[in-house]
Short mmCIF file of all heavy atoms in Angstrom, two decimals:
data_model
loop_
_atom_site.label_atom_id
_atom_site.label_comp_id
_atom_site.label_asym_id
_atom_site.label_seq_id
_atom_site.Cartn_x
_atom_site.Cartn_y
_atom_site.Cartn_z
N LEU A 111 18.65 4.79 -12.62
CA LEU A 111 17.78 4.88 -11.45
C LEU A 111 17.34 6.33 -11.17
O LEU A 111 16.77 6.64 -10.14
CB LEU A 111 18.48 4.31 -10.21
CG LEU A 111 18.79 2.81 -10.30
CD1 LEU A 111 19.58 2.35 -9.07
CD2 LEU A 111 17.52 1.99 -10.44
N ARG A 113 15.17 9.55 -11.15
CA ARG A 113 13.73 9.79 -11.19
C ARG A 113 13.46 11.27 -11.19
O ARG A 113 14.25 12.05 -10.64
CB ARG A 113 13.04 9.25 -9.92
CG ARG A 113 13.05 7.77 -9.79
CD ARG A 113 13.26 7.43 -8.34
NE ARG A 113 13.62 6.03 -8.20
CZ ARG A 113 12.78 5.08 -7.83
NH1 ARG A 113 11.55 5.38 -7.52
NH2 ARG A 113 13.18 3.83 -7.77
N LYS A 222 9.69 -11.00 2.43
CA LYS A 222 10.76 -10.36 1.64
C LYS A 222 10.24 -9.15 0.83
O LYS A 222 10.99 -8.20 0.57
CB LYS A 222 11.33 -11.42 0.68
CG LYS A 222 12.29 -10.92 -0.37
CD LYS A 222 13.71 -10.95 0.16
CE LYS A 222 14.71 -10.49 -0.89
NZ LYS A 222 15.57 -9.41 -0.46
N LEU A 223 8.97 -9.18 0.43
CA LEU A 223 8.48 -8.13 -0.46
C LEU A 223 7.61 -7.07 0.23
O LEU A 223 6.92 -6.31 -0.45
CB LEU A 223 7.70 -8.74 -1.64
CG LEU A 223 8.51 -9.61 -2.61
CD1 LEU A 223 7.66 -9.99 -3.82
CD2 LEU A 223 9.78 -8.91 -3.08
N MET A 282 3.73 -4.38 -5.57
CA MET A 282 4.45 -4.32 -6.84
C MET A 282 4.25 -5.57 -7.69
O MET A 282 4.55 -5.58 -8.86
CB MET A 282 5.95 -4.11 -6.60
CG MET A 282 6.27 -2.77 -6.01
SD MET A 282 5.72 -1.42 -7.08
CE MET A 282 5.30 -0.17 -5.87
N ASP A 283 3.74 -6.65 -7.09
CA ASP A 283 3.52 -7.88 -7.84
C ASP A 283 2.04 -8.23 -7.99
O ASP A 283 1.68 -9.04 -8.84
CB ASP A 283 4.26 -9.04 -7.18
CG ASP A 283 5.76 -8.88 -7.34
OD1 ASP A 283 6.35 -8.03 -6.63
OD2 ASP A 283 6.35 -9.54 -8.19
N VAL A 425 7.16 -7.66 -15.86
CA VAL A 425 8.56 -7.65 -15.42
C VAL A 425 9.47 -7.73 -16.64
O VAL A 425 9.33 -8.61 -17.48
CB VAL A 425 8.84 -8.82 -14.45
CG1 VAL A 425 10.29 -8.83 -14.02
CG2 VAL A 425 7.92 -8.72 -13.24
N GLY A 427 13.06 -6.93 -16.24
CA GLY A 427 14.43 -7.23 -15.84
C GLY A 427 15.28 -5.99 -15.69
O GLY A 427 15.17 -5.27 -14.69
N GLU A 428 16.11 -5.74 -16.69
CA GLU A 428 17.04 -4.62 -16.58
C GLU A 428 16.33 -3.28 -16.50
O GLU A 428 15.33 -3.06 -17.18
CB GLU A 428 17.95 -4.59 -17.81
CG GLU A 428 19.17 -5.46 -17.68
CD GLU A 428 19.95 -5.48 -18.98
OE1 GLU A 428 20.00 -4.42 -19.64
OE2 GLU A 428 20.46 -6.55 -19.33
N GLU A 429 16.91 -2.39 -15.72
CA GLU A 429 16.34 -1.07 -15.51
C GLU A 429 16.15 -0.33 -16.85
O GLU A 429 15.11 0.29 -17.09
CB GLU A 429 17.22 -0.25 -14.56
CG GLU A 429 17.09 -0.65 -13.09
CD GLU A 429 17.65 -2.02 -12.74
OE1 GLU A 429 18.58 -2.50 -13.43
OE2 GLU A 429 17.14 -2.63 -11.78
N ILE A 449 8.94 0.80 -12.80
CA ILE A 449 9.27 0.63 -11.38
C ILE A 449 10.63 -0.04 -11.27
O ILE A 449 10.86 -1.10 -11.85
CB ILE A 449 8.19 -0.22 -10.67
CG1 ILE A 449 6.81 0.37 -10.86
CG2 ILE A 449 8.54 -0.41 -9.20
CD1 ILE A 449 6.52 1.61 -10.07
N ARG A 450 11.51 0.63 -10.54
CA ARG A 450 12.89 0.14 -10.44
C ARG A 450 13.33 0.08 -8.99
O ARG A 450 12.62 0.54 -8.11
CB ARG A 450 13.82 1.13 -11.18
CG ARG A 450 13.66 1.15 -12.65
CD ARG A 450 14.23 2.45 -13.23
NE ARG A 450 13.34 3.56 -13.04
CZ ARG A 450 13.70 4.85 -13.18
NH1 ARG A 450 14.93 5.16 -13.49
NH2 ARG A 450 12.83 5.81 -12.98
N TYR A 451 14.53 -0.44 -8.78
CA TYR A 451 15.16 -0.38 -7.48
C TYR A 451 15.13 1.07 -7.00
O TYR A 451 15.36 1.97 -7.81
CB TYR A 451 16.62 -0.87 -7.59
CG TYR A 451 17.38 -0.80 -6.31
CD1 TYR A 451 17.31 -1.82 -5.38
CD2 TYR A 451 18.16 0.32 -6.01
CE1 TYR A 451 18.00 -1.73 -4.18
CE2 TYR A 451 18.86 0.41 -4.82
CZ TYR A 451 18.77 -0.62 -3.91
OH TYR A 451 19.44 -0.53 -2.73
N PRO A 452 14.85 1.37 -5.72
CA PRO A 452 14.66 0.42 -4.63
C PRO A 452 13.20 -0.02 -4.41
O PRO A 452 12.93 -0.71 -3.43
CB PRO A 452 15.15 1.21 -3.42
CG PRO A 452 14.78 2.63 -3.73
CD PRO A 452 14.89 2.77 -5.22
N ALA A 453 12.29 0.35 -5.30
CA ALA A 453 10.89 -0.10 -5.11
C ALA A 453 10.79 -1.61 -5.33
O ALA A 453 9.96 -2.28 -4.73
CB ALA A 453 9.96 0.65 -6.06
N VAL A 454 11.62 -2.14 -6.24
CA VAL A 454 11.71 -3.59 -6.44
C VAL A 454 13.19 -3.94 -6.46
O VAL A 454 14.04 -3.05 -6.47
CB VAL A 454 11.03 -4.04 -7.76
CG1 VAL A 454 9.53 -3.79 -7.72
CG2 VAL A 454 11.65 -3.34 -8.96
N ALA A 455 13.50 -5.24 -6.47
CA ALA A 455 14.91 -5.65 -6.46
C ALA A 455 15.61 -5.17 -7.73
O ALA A 455 14.96 -4.96 -8.77
CB ALA A 455 14.99 -7.17 -6.36
N ARG A 456 16.94 -5.00 -7.65
CA ARG A 456 17.72 -4.69 -8.86
C ARG A 456 17.54 -5.82 -9.86
O ARG A 456 17.49 -7.00 -9.48
CB ARG A 456 19.20 -4.58 -8.51
CG ARG A 456 19.58 -3.26 -7.87
CD ARG A 456 21.09 -3.20 -7.63
NE ARG A 456 21.42 -2.23 -6.60
CZ ARG A 456 21.65 -0.93 -6.84
NH1 ARG A 456 21.59 -0.46 -8.07
NH2 ARG A 456 21.94 -0.11 -5.85
N GLY A 457 17.41 -5.46 -11.13
CA GLY A 457 17.29 -6.49 -12.16
C GLY A 457 15.88 -7.07 -12.25
O GLY A 457 15.64 -8.02 -12.98
N ALA A 458 14.94 -6.51 -11.47
CA ALA A 458 13.54 -6.96 -11.54
C ALA A 458 12.66 -5.77 -11.91
O ALA A 458 11.52 -5.67 -11.50
CB ALA A 458 13.09 -7.59 -10.24
N ALA A 459 13.23 -4.86 -12.72
CA ALA A 459 12.48 -3.66 -13.11
C ALA A 459 11.29 -4.07 -13.97
O ALA A 459 11.29 -5.13 -14.60
CB ALA A 459 13.39 -2.71 -13.88
N ARG A 460 10.28 -3.24 -13.93
CA ARG A 460 9.02 -3.63 -14.57
C ARG A 460 8.17 -2.42 -14.92
O ARG A 460 8.39 -1.33 -14.40
CB ARG A 460 8.23 -4.51 -13.61
CG ARG A 460 7.81 -3.73 -12.37
CD ARG A 460 7.38 -4.63 -11.25
NE ARG A 460 8.48 -5.49 -10.83
CZ ARG A 460 8.35 -6.49 -9.96
NH1 ARG A 460 7.18 -6.74 -9.44
NH2 ARG A 460 9.38 -7.22 -9.63
#
Side-chain angles (χ1 to χ4, degrees):
L111 295 176
R113 293 142 195 259
K222 171 89 178 126
L223 295 188
M282 293 301 147
D283 290 75
V425 179
E428 273 175 37
E429 284 69 28
I449 304 286
R450 291 160 282 165
Y451 178 85
V454 295
R456 282 183 201 272
R460 65 196 61 188

